[in-house]
Amino acid sequence: MMTKAIRYVYLLGPLVFAIGFLTPLFSQLITASDWTPPFGLSPLEAGFFGALVLGIPAQLRGRWI
C-alpha cells in the first residue's frame, strides 16, 4: 500500500515540486519585491499560478529543461 502511494507521488514529482517549493518561493519573491499581483490576487495565489505555469509543462514533458 505504501509503496503504491510513493510510486504515485514520484510520478507526479514535477507538480509536487512546483506546489511544495516553487509556490512559497514565488509568493515570497512577490512580497519581498513589493509587487502587487494583478486581478486582486494575493501573493500566494499568484505564486501558485506561477508555479503551475512551470510545473504542468514539466509534468507533461517529463523534464524541466
Side-chain angles (χ1 to χ4, degrees):
M1 178 73 174
M2 186 62 116
T3 306
K4 285 185 179 183
I6 292 172
R7 283 185 188 156
Y8 188 70
V9 170
Y10 181 74
L11 289 174
L12 296 175
L15 284 179
V16 171
F17 177 76
I19 292 170
F21 180 75
L22 292 179
T23 297
L25 176 69
F26 288 165
S27 66
Q28 287 185 6
L29 287 173
I30 290 168
T31 303
S33 66
D34 230 9
W35 179 67
T36 304
F39 308 116
L41 296 174
S42 70
L44 186 61
E45 292 169 338
F48 183 72
F49 178 73
L52 286 181
V53 165
L54 293 175
I56 289 174
Q59 177 69 39
L60 293 175
R61 287 186 301 196
R63 56 192 167 136
W64 284 97
I65 298 175

